Amino acid sequence: MRTLAALLALPLLSFSDEQEKPAKSFAPDPTARIVVHEWGVVTCAAGARNQLVGASGPADEDLPAFVTRLTTLGQSYAMVARQPIIYFYTDKPTDFSVQVRFPNGYPTCFDPPAQTWANTADYKTPGAGNIGWQGRLDPAAAPAFPEVAPDHWVAHCRSVDSTPVTIGSRREKYLFYEGAVSIACPVRLELDGDSVRAEFAGTWTAPSMAVRVKDGRAETYPVAGAGRLAPEPVAVESMLAKAGLYEK
């Protein structure tokens, strides 16, 4: 019996130690209808008995120059939160405030610039690593974003109908961050012939999928009942749309 690496799908350039000051006035519109979507990938790699065998680090090499990169603390970590993207959809202008707190880890990069963040050696204290944004959502705001190449992942992430985000002088289509999380991998995949079984630790409830490479092609299987993979592969896009995300 062999243990497989797993991908869990979920619902960094110069560092400055001067954090931006929060906006002087903060006035959310209580009548605004707001829909928030967040999605990204957490990567982890575990061997026999669910022991950590390593996790790849943040993708520094493909970050645009306007992304804020924080100092990597160097501690070992079991999981990497890779490119979580937060989209907002509103029917009218309103202020917003967002806090991202790491249960046992720290942020390594983010964009747009945040007003507050903590990238600390005390990363094992829940919430010690965090990011805080405060800004404005306006459906009519002009799409004045920093330029990237047409085939860059940032350009793809902007090809949606979300409400533009304005923080200070920066405007973007989303909030983005990456970070390291030092907790045990919550899933273990075991392969026995053509049979694959998923074992979850604790109370993991998020929709989960397994990616298996077969004959040079990646196949995506949702985890069905009793920890078994569904009999037929499905498209990742259809799983995300079923979970509530919009098609784009």
Side-chain angles (χ1 to χ4, degrees):
M1 182 173 290
R2 292 178 287 133
T3 301
L4 306 178
L7 290 181
L8 304 180
L10 304 180
L12 276 163
L13 247 95
S14 60
F15 171 72
S16 170
D17 57 6
E18 294 183 1
Q19 302 186 21
E20 292 193 5
K21 296 180 180 179
K24 293 183 179 179
S25 60
F26 180 65
D29 186 343
T31 67
R33 180 180 181 273
I34 303 176
V35 174
V36 182
H37 287 167
E38 180 179 20
W39 75 279
V41 173
V42 171
T43 63
C44 63
R49 303 180 185 87
N50 214 28
Q51 291 180 331
L52 174 69
V53 296
S56 58
D60 296 346
E61 68 279 359
D62 62 357
L63 292 175
F66 51 79
V67 172
T68 301
R69 179 191 294 173
L70 303 179
T71 302
T72 300
L73 300 181
Q75 284 88 354
S76 62
Y77 43 83
M79 301 171 66
V80 177
R82 191 174 296 286
Q83 295 182 354
I85 301 289
I86 304 175
Y87 290 112
F88 301 89
Y89 300 86
T90 63
D91 59 349
K92 61 181 65 176
T94 183
D95 290 347
F96 77 94
S97 178
V98 168
Q99 275 284 330
V100 174
R101 298 185 180 276
F102 288 75
N104 191 343
Y106 52 88
T108 51
C109 69
F110 54 81
D111 190 65
Q115 284 89 3
T116 61
W117 67 83
N119 173 278
T120 170
D122 184 28
Y123 71 98
K124 291 188 176 181
T125 299
N130 59 79
I131 315 170
W133 287 278
Q134 185 172 302
R136 184 77 173 169
L137 304 174
D138 187 351
F145 312 132
E147 293 186 3
V148 295
D151 59 346
H152 197 278
W153 64 264
V154 168
H156 292 293
C157 290
R158 290 173 176 167
S159 299
V160 297
D161 299 321
S162 62
T163 300
V165 174
T166 301
I167 299 177
S169 59
R170 265 295 310 279
R171 186 167 295 166
E172 194 47 87
K173 266 285 193 175
Y174 51 72
L175 302 180
F176 154 80
Y177 66 94
E178 286 187 346
V181 184
S182 189
I183 59 178
C185 183
V187 65
R188 176 182 176 184
L189 296 180
E190 294 183 339
L191 178 62
D192 186 7
D194 290 332
S195 177
V196 180
R197 181 177 179 82
E199 295 182 1
F200 294 91
T203 57
W204 183 266
T205 59
S208 302
M209 63 183 73
V211 179
R212 183 163 73 174
V213 178
K214 185 177 181 181
D215 298 328
R217 295 187 306 170
E219 298 178 334
T220 305
Y221 294 83
V223 177
R228 295 282 178 178
L229 300 190
E232 298 294 333
V234 299
V236 175
E237 292 87 344
S238 66
M239 292 184 65
L240 295 176
K242 187 177 181 179
L245 300 184
Y246 298 150
E247 184 175 353
K248 286 188 178 181

